[in-house]
Amino acid sequence: MSGAPILLRDVLKSAEERLAAAGCASPRLDVRLLAEEALGWSRTALLLDGDRPVPAEAQAALAALVDRRAAREPVSRILGKREFWSLEFRLAPDTLDPRPDTETLVETALRHLPDGQRPRRLLDLGTGSGCILLALLSELPGAWGVGVDIAPGAARAAAANAKALGFASRSAFLVGSWTDAVGGGRFDAIVSNPPYIPAADIAGLEPEVRTFDPLRALDGGADGLNPYRHLATVAGGLLAPGGLLAVEHGAGQGADVAALFAAAGLEVLERVEDLAGHDRVVAARTPASPYRPATAGRG
């Protein structure tokens, strides 16, 4: 004799309690997203059909996903995708999981790139999933862009995202060590969300980041500023006169990043806070006249 059916509300409640006990920050939202994937039911059904029985195989499918989340694997990694700038990006082990804070970088770049129909060449260094470059291309129909990543898996993922989003003809993705992969040429804008976590701080990051994001996309050296020193040195040689350099950075790094850029002869345009009020982005540009680089680090 079979027992009473297990109802949706009870399945969701049990899963939510498990994720809360595991220390997940948003257990209710996480369970809803995982249930949509495991059960194949609409968001409306999950919200309104609490009395609906859940078949045993569907319960098992959801439990398997909840097990992964309870081990602190991010929901976006479990689902293999993340929404960014209202676009869907597929993830890979070699890509960072895009965060909403990075949309501040896209907003900043667009503010300094008016007239979206104007032909422009964009360069995204450390492109990962391609989310920054492809978000910009979605807003700048006249632009063409190159994304560079040292990880072949990231470059492949970015190219696949470009194809899925309809931007393959306006983009190219290269494997290499940042600017070494580009060679010559001048760009109208360089954007980057480089590794900026001080090496000693990585062990203290949340498990979702420390365990599941690629280490080389996190580690910015002893003080987290190594990538910005490199950018300050090479930006002038890659940007057209008056070209834009816009970068994301970590907490408390804005003044140092701006100082590195200024010492290299770049004009710092602004420092921008994210929606949480944290210093997040520095925007600078090369002089409008031909660039003569200063020696970075000297006043």
Side-chain angles (χ1 to χ4, degrees), residues 2 12 64 178 208 258 262 295:
S2 60
L12 297 181
W178 280 38
E208 287 85 348
T295 301

Side-chain angles (χ1 to χ4, degrees), residues 69-154:
R69 182 65 187 115
R72 303 298 291 273
E73 183 175 356
V75 170
S76 54
R77 295 284 182 193
I78 296 170
L79 302 181
K81 60 187 178 181
R82 162 77 81 164
E83 183 179 294
F84 179 89
W85 203 257
S86 299
L87 304 170
E88 184 175 284
F89 291 87
R90 304 300 299 187
L91 305 182
D94 282 335
T95 67
L96 273 178
D97 182 358
R99 271 69 169 184
D101 291 341
T102 300
E103 293 190 352
T104 305
L105 174 57
V106 176
E107 293 168 351
T108 302
L110 290 172
R111 190 160 53 249
H112 295 284
L113 296 171
D115 183 8
Q117 298 294 335
R118 177 181 167 186
R120 288 188 175 92
R121 298 184 72 213
L122 311 179
L123 175 61
D124 179 13
L125 296 175
T127 194
S129 65
C131 64
I132 298 169
L133 177 61
L134 298 176
L136 289 173
L137 293 182
S138 76
E139 301 288 348
L140 301 171
W144 183 87
V146 177
V148 178
D149 204 289
I150 196 170

Side-chain angles (χ1 to χ4, degrees), residues 265-283:
L266 301 171
E267 176 191 354
V268 176
L269 300 172
E270 61 175 337
R271 290 168 53 191
V272 186
E273 294 181 347
D274 59 26
L275 291 176
H278 301 132
D279 210 14
R280 180 62 59 184
V281 171
V282 171

Side-chain angles (χ1 to χ4, degrees), residues 197-207 209-210:
I197 306 296
D201 293 348
I202 291 175
L205 296 174
E206 289 293 316
V209 177
R210 182 183 69 241

